[in-house]
Amino acid sequence: MAKNHRGHARHGSDIEVKSKFGAEFRRFSILRAKPGRFDEFYQLVQHVHRVPTSELIVGYADVHGDLLPINNDDNFLKAVSTAAPLLRVIVQRKEDADYNAFGTNSTLRKRKGLTGFPGLLKTHERPRPTRDISLPQDFRPVSSIIDVDILPETVRRVKLYKQGSDRPLGFYIRDGTSLRVTPRGIEKAPAVFISRLVPGGLAESTGLIAVNDEVLEVNGIEVAGKTLDQVTDMMVANSRNLIITVRPVNQRVGGGSGTLTTAAAAVTTTTTMTTQSTNGLLLPGPPEPGSYVIGNFTDGDSEAESDDDVIIEGGAGSLAERITAEDSERARPNGEAWLHSASDQGLWSSEQALNGSTRSESEQQRAEATANATTYGGHQRHSMEEDGTVITL
Amino acid sequence: MQLHFLPGQGRIVALLDNSIISLWEVLDKGGQSELTHIQDFTLPCQPGALPSVSRPTALCVSATGDKLYIGSEAGSVHVLQLSSSKFDDVLSQEGALQSLPEEYRVGKALGAVEAIREDPCTSTSILMGYTRGLLLLWDLNRRCLQRCLPGTQQLESVHWSRSGQQVTCSYSDGSYQEWSLDDSEEQKVPSLLYGPYPCKAITKIQRFITSGCTFVVFSGGMPRASFGDRHCVTVMHEREHVAFDFTSRVVDFFTVSGAKPGTVLDEPKVLVVLVEEELVAIDLMAPGWPSLTPPYLASLHSSAITCSHHVSAIPSKLWERIVACGVQQKEKHSSAEWPINGGVIKSQQRTSRDLLLTGHEDGSVRFWDASGVALQPLYKLSTASVFVTEADQPEPIQETDEGHWPPFRKVGCFDPYSDDPRLGIQKISLCKFSGQLALAGSAGQVLLMELNDEATEHEIDTYTMDLLEENETFRWKGHDRLIVRSGSVPLPAGFQPQLVVQAMPPASLTALALQAEWHLLAFGTSHGFALFDCHQRKPVLTKCTLHPNDALALEGPLSRVKSLKKSLRQSFRRMRKSRTTARKRPDPTTKVREANARLSEQDLPSEVELAPVQRRVEARSPDDSFTGMVKCLYFADTFLRDGSHHGPSLWAGTNAGVVYAYSLEIPTPEHRNEQTIHARFGKEIQLMHRAPVLALAVLDGKSSPLPEPLEVLHDLAKSPDLHGHHSLLIVSEEQFKIFMLPKVNSKHKFKLTATEGSRVRKASLVWLGTPGGNLAGTSGIVTGNDEAVETCLICLTNQGDVHGYSLPSLRLQARFSCMRKEDVTGISSCVFTHTGQGFYLISPSQFERFSVSAASITELLCSLQPREPEAIHAFPIPEYSPTVNKVTPEDAVETKKRGRVMENALLTDSRVLEEIQETLNPSLLTKVDIDMNQNH
C-alpha cells in the first residue's frame, strides 16, 4: 500500500508524507491544493499503518524541528502548508504517547538520539518515569490570568472557572481603604479587599488571588463607589464565570517592583486535573457546540455560557426532556427539530462515524456532568442526554 | 418642643430643643399653600451669661397675635414684637421678686417660668407661673404686680378660664388647685383626686365653666404605684367621670370649644388627644362620650402591618358594599361632624376607586380608600374570630379594672401587642370582580372570604393539605397550626370566611394566588405549594419543593416569638413605658451622655479597622437554606404544552430559581360540579443563576400581560392575543428573562446584579400612559407607542432605586432613587399600583406614596386663606397652655400641607405625599429642626 503512494510523491503539487509509527515508516502523498480535513487524514494514517481501531496521536516536525501535534483542521493545514517538501509525521499510540516530546527542539533531540549517538542520550534527560498525565484537552481550566497585554503590570485580571466544579469559590471580601495616586497627590479611598481564602477552595487553589489583594473590577465593571454588599452580589451573580481584576497586595502604590512577569502571551492558563476527567481522551475535531454543558473547556467570556437554564418538560408520561435553553436558541436553525429521538442519535453517529467511540464517550461524560449540574432533591429521573440542541431524558 | 399658632395669621411659632424660636408661615405658592420658614429668634443675653438665661421654657401668644411672651429658664419673661421682630420688654426675675410682698420673698429664686397666660378678657395683664409654684398676675400697662397666687407645689400647668375669673393650676404631685380672682381672699386647698397614695404629675389641666357646672379635663395624675403605667386623660363633668385610657403616651390634648366670641361661659364640644401613636377625638356633647372616627390621620399601625396589597379601579358596586359594611362597624362611634376643618383641597377629584389593603399582625385586614391624598379607613376585617386563640379566655384583670377607681375606659385603636403571632396576615389577594378575598397567614392558614351584606352564623369548612407529600423524614419543629372554631361561628356583615385551608406543616405562607374565574386557590410556603379547588372544595395538587438538606425550613419562623406569653408582654409594656417617660427638660447628665456617645462614635472607625465586616463570596447552591420557599404563584391561560393549544396553567417560582408549571384541565361550566380538575406536570425551569424568582407573568402575542381573571368577562380588558407567540417573563432577584412559550427558549434578558450589584426586591407590571391618549413624555418612562397605554416592568432594588424596563425588550428606560438603601422595612413593604404609583412604610405608622408615571400622580394640592374671617372661624383656636407639645387643629392641616416633597426627589413632577396620622409627635419637631438647619 505504501508503494502505491510512493509513486505519486514525485508530483510537484503533492506533498510527500513520511509517516513513522514506532519503527515502521509509511510514505504517501496528499494534494497540496486540496489536503482535505483532519479526520480524513487521521483515518488515512490509521489506514496506512493498519491500526484502524487504535487511538493515535499524530504529530509532525516543523521547519524548526519542533514536534507539533496534528489534532484538528487548523494545525493540519498548517502542517501541510509548511511542509517543504516532505511532511514528516510521527504517529504514536495514545496509551504510550510521550507528551513531553511535544515542544521546542523535541524532534531535534529525538533525532539526535535516534541517529546513532547513543552516548549522548545519557547527557540528555533520561527518559522520565512515565506519568499518567493527560493532554491539555483532558484538563478543565480552573483559573487564568487574562488580558496581560492590555493591563498595567500592577494589576492582574483573574478568571475563575467555577462551572463544572463542585469546589466552592472560597473567598471572602471586606471593606478597606487604599491609597490612590491622583493629580492631587496620594489619596485615601474606600476599597474592597480579599479578606480570607478558604482552604481547598477554588480561589486558594489557583494561587492567583491572595489575602489583602484589592478588588478593582468584577467582570469588567468597576467596583469603585459600590458597597461591599453590592460587590458581593455582583460576584455571586457572576460566580459561574467570575473575572476579578485585583491589585495584588505586593503590587500596590509604593510597593515593591512586583513579582508578576510580563508574559508575552495574552493568556496564561493554569490548569489542574479535573476530578471528572474519566480517561485520557484526545478529542479530535472542532470544538464541540455542547461543551458548555460540562464547561469542559470554555474559552472566552461569551455571555451565553453562564446562562444555560435547564428546562424539564413534562412529557406524556413520566418521561421528561431536558433542554438547555440557551443552546436551543443559539444553535437550532429552524426551531422545529426539537424532539430528537434515538434515530437522531443514530444520525449523529453516522455523521461522525470516524470517531464514533470517542463521541459516545464524550457524550457519556457530558451526561454525567449535566446530571451533576441539574440534580435536584427528590427528582429521580432516569436521565440520558443527547448532544447538540436537544437533551432527552 | 412646643408649637403655638398665631390666630388668624397662618403662622406657627415653634420652640426647638436647641433654644431657638422659629417662625413659620403658610404662604401661597402658585395657587397652593406651603409652610415656609420665616425667621429664627433667640433670647437676648449678655455674653458669658448662664445658658439658662437664653433657654426659653414657656411661650404665650397674645390674643392679638402680634406679641409673643417668652419665659426663660432663668425666670425672666421677654416680650417679642412679631411684627418688628424685636424684643421690646423684659421682666426679669429680680424685678418680679422685688415687687413681691415681703411674706413671699423668702430669699430664694422662683425657678423657671413654667407657664404664661394672657388675660382672656382684657389682654392687659399676664399670669406668670414659676416652677416653685408661685403665680404672679402682672399688669403690663402699669408694669406692676397685680396679684400674687402663692402655690406651694411644683407647678406643671395653668389654665385661665374664659371669664377671666378662675385660674386652675396643676402640680407635679398629681393635685390641682383652683384660684378665684374676683374674691381675693378665697383660696381652695389643692385636691388630690386619685390619692391618697402618691400620684404622678398632672401635666396639663383645663377647667371650663359651662352653664351650671364645670368641666375638668386633665392628663396624668394616676396613682403612681398601681396605675403609674397608664396613659390617661381624665374628664369630669357633673357626675360623669371617665379616665380615658390610651395605649401610648399622651403627648397633648385640647378641647374644641363651641362658645361664641364674647360670651363668658365655655362650651367644650370635642376633646382631641394626641397620643404617641394616634390622634383620638372624643365627642363631649354626646351622652357617654363616644369617640369620633377621624376622616384622616387614622392610625395605620394599630397592629403592626405585616403586608399590603393594592387594588386599583374597584367596581362601584363592590366599593359601595365595602363602604356600607364599614359604616355598620362605626355604629358605636359618635356621629358628630369632625370638628377640625379648614382650607381648600385643590387636588383633582379621584378618577378611580383604589383600595389599599393592609394585613396586620393581629390577623386583621384594613381596607383603606387610597384614591385620594389621605388614606381613609373604610372597613376592618378580623380573622381572629375564626380561630381558637389564647385571647379567648377572658381576662380577669381586665374585669376588675372596669367599674373601679379610677374609672378607666379604653380608647383608641392602637394595640401593638398581638395575642397570637400565628394570626398575622402574610399575603392578600382580592378579586375585585367576584368580591372574593383570599388571605394567607403566618401559621399556614389560607382563608377564602366572600362579601356578605348580612351578618350570619355558620360553620367554617376546614381542609388540610400536606405540602411534604407525606414524607416521613421531615419533622416540623415550629409552631402548631391554628385551630378553627368548631360549630357555628357568628360572623358580622362584611367579608365572611367560606373555607379555611391549612397548609401542613403550618409554616408561614409565602405566596398566594386566587383565580376567581376558575375558582382556584394556590398557596405556597417554604415547603411547597398546593392548589385547591374552591368550587368543589377539593385539593387538586400538592408539590413539595423542599430540598432534603434544608433543615432551617423545618423550624417555624415564629418558634421563638411564640414563647412570649402574655405576662412577658406586660413586663415589656412596663419597660417601654419607663423609657418613654422622659423628663421634661434635658438635664446635664443627658448632655454628658450625648457627648460620650459622640465620642464613642468617633472611635468607631478604628474598631471597624480591627474587625472589618467580611462577606463570603460563594455561588448559590441547591444546599442553601430555604431554597424550596415558594416566592410567587401565577395562573395563566397560555401555551404550556404546545404552540397550537392554549389552556389554564399554574406557575410557581421558588427561592432556588426554579419555576414549575402545571397544566390544568378544568371542566366546562356544565360539568364543573362533577368532573374533577386535573393538574399535570408541564415544565420545570431551573435558572442557572439560582436566584429567587420574584414574579412571573405571561405576555401575549402583542407582548402585553395577560388580563386578570374575570377582567375580560367584565369587558374591562381586551381579550389577550392568543394567536401570536406567548412569552414568559421571569423576574428573579438578579435577572429578568423572557422565554418564548411553549418551548421556553430565551428571548430577552437583562442581568441586573451582574452588572451593577443591586438586587431586585419588588417587581410589578404597570400600565403607563394617559387615559386621554396624550403621552406624558416629559418625564418618567417615555412611552413611545401608538397606544396610549404601555406596559412596562418596574422594580425596586435593594439599593432603594426604582427602575423601569420596557417590555418585551427589557431595556432600562428610567431609574430613580426612591428610598435609602438602609431602609429595609421600607423596601420590603413597598407595593406598586397598576398605574405606576407605589406605597412604602417610612415608619411603622406612615406610608409614603410615590409615582414613576407622569400621568398618574396623587398630589396634595390645597390652599389656606388664613386672613379671611371665615378661615379663622373654621379653626376654633383652643386656649393655649405652654406645656409640652402643642396640638391644634390647624396643626394637622399644616403638617399635611407641608406635603413633604419626597426628600430624595423621585421625579420633578411626582410629589410624594406624607399623609397618615401621627405626624405631630416629636418627630415633626425634629424635622422642623432639620429643615431649619438646612436653611442656615
Side-chain angles (χ1 to χ4, degrees), chain A residues 234-254:
Chain A
M234 283 169 73
M235 288 184 171
V236 170
N238 287 306
S239 58
R240 300 183 74 245
N241 184 26
L242 184 60
I243 300 165
I244 321 177
T245 311
V246 293
R247 193 197 310 279
V249 62
N250 50 5
Q251 305 273 328
R252 298 268 174 70
V253 180

Side-chain angles (χ1 to χ4, degrees), chain B residues 364-597:
Chain B
S364 62
V365 176
R366 271 155 227 265
F367 290 62
W368 304 87
D369 177 0
S371 337
V373 164
L375 277 188
Q376 264 190 55
L378 289 181
Y379 165 71
K380 179 197 165 189
L381 162 69
S382 176
T383 61
S385 59
V386 177
F387 302 101
V388 182
T389 57
E390 285 174 37
D392 290 343
Q393 283 95 46
E395 277 184 47
I397 311 160
Q398 285 286 330
E399 291 197 357
T400 53
D401 275 4
E402 304 292 338
H404 275 70
W405 189 255
F408 287 118
R409 188 203 292 176
K410 287 254 174 225
V411 278
C413 58
F414 176 71
D415 182 15
Y417 306 101
S418 167
D419 292 321
D420 194 336
R422 295 177 297 169
L423 290 169
I425 303 291
Q426 295 298 328
K427 296 282 163 190
I428 301 171
S429 177
L430 172 71
C431 173
K432 61 187 177 189
F433 304 108
S434 65
Q436 282 184 323
L437 173 70
L439 302 175
S442 300
Q445 77 272 28
V446 181
L447 294 96
L448 182 71
M449 324 275 283
E450 257 169 46
L451 191 56
N452 189 342
D453 302 327
E454 305 287 324
T456 57
E457 193 164 317
H458 65 79
E459 270 185 55
I460 298 161
D461 294 339
T462 311
Y463 304 88
T464 305
M465 291 179 83
D466 184 10
L467 294 181
L468 294 179
E469 296 165 331
E470 292 169 359
N471 189 328
E472 304 262 315
T473 53
F474 294 99
R475 209 180 315 123
W476 169 252
K477 296 177 203 151
H479 50 262
D480 295 334
R481 57 187 278 186
L482 282 164
I483 311 292
V484 177
R485 248 175 230 221
S486 53
S488 283
V489 180
L491 299 162
F495 283 94
Q496 296 175 346
Q498 298 302 303
L499 55 94
V500 175
V501 187
Q502 272 280 350
M504 289 303 284
S508 180
L509 267 302
T510 55
L512 177 73
L514 172 70
Q515 225 293 0
E517 194 171 347
W518 305 334
H519 301 284
L520 290 176
L521 183 63
F523 54 90
T525 69
S526 12
H527 305 107
F529 60 92
L531 181 64
F532 189 85
D533 178 3
C534 302
H535 187 82
Q536 290 190 25
R537 306 203 161 190
K538 256 191 200 168
V540 179
L541 164 79
T542 55
K543 164 78 185 161
C544 180
T545 55
L546 194 65
H547 191 273
N549 301 342
D550 193 356
L552 264 181
L554 291 173
E555 291 180 32
L558 299 173
S559 52
R560 258 164 273 157
V561 185
K562 210 194 129 204
S563 62
L564 279 179
K565 289 286 180 221
K566 200 156 243 178
S567 57
L568 207 54
R569 283 201 289 275
Q570 289 278 345
S571 58
F572 271 124
R573 211 181 274 225
R574 238 165 253 136
M575 273 172 60
R576 203 179 110 93
K577 207 236 136 212
S578 62
R579 249 181 283 132
T580 50
T581 33
R583 241 159 294 173
K584 270 170 73 178
R585 230 153 269 140
D587 58 358
T589 52
T590 53
K591 278 269 164 66
V592 172
R593 230 176 287 137
E594 275 169 20
N596 281 342

Side-chain angles (χ1 to χ4, degrees), chain B residues 677-716:
Chain B
I677 289 182
H678 288 288
R680 284 170 63 200
F681 173 73
K683 276 183 173 56
E684 178 182 328
I685 304 164
Q686 167 69 65
L687 298 176
M688 261 312 157
H689 61 282
R690 292 188 190 276
V693 177
L694 296 181
L696 293 165
V698 171
L699 310 178
D700 71 3
K702 290 176 182 140
S703 291
S704 51
L706 295 187
E708 283 175 59
L710 293 172
E711 207 173 12
V712 176
L713 226 61
H714 285 73
D715 286 333
L716 288 164

Side-chain angles (χ1 to χ4, degrees), chain B residues 800-834:
Chain B
D801 295 351
V802 174
H803 297 192
Y805 295 89
S806 63
L807 284 177
S809 55
L810 296 180
R811 273 196 209 97
L812 180 65
Q813 302 285 324
R815 61 186 297 164
F816 321 103
S817 64
C818 180
M819 317 176 195
R820 290 178 308 117
K821 61 173 180 262
E822 295 83 13
D823 187 5
V824 178
T825 47
I827 291 173
S828 65
S829 65
C830 179
V831 284
F832 289 111
T833 75
H834 278 322

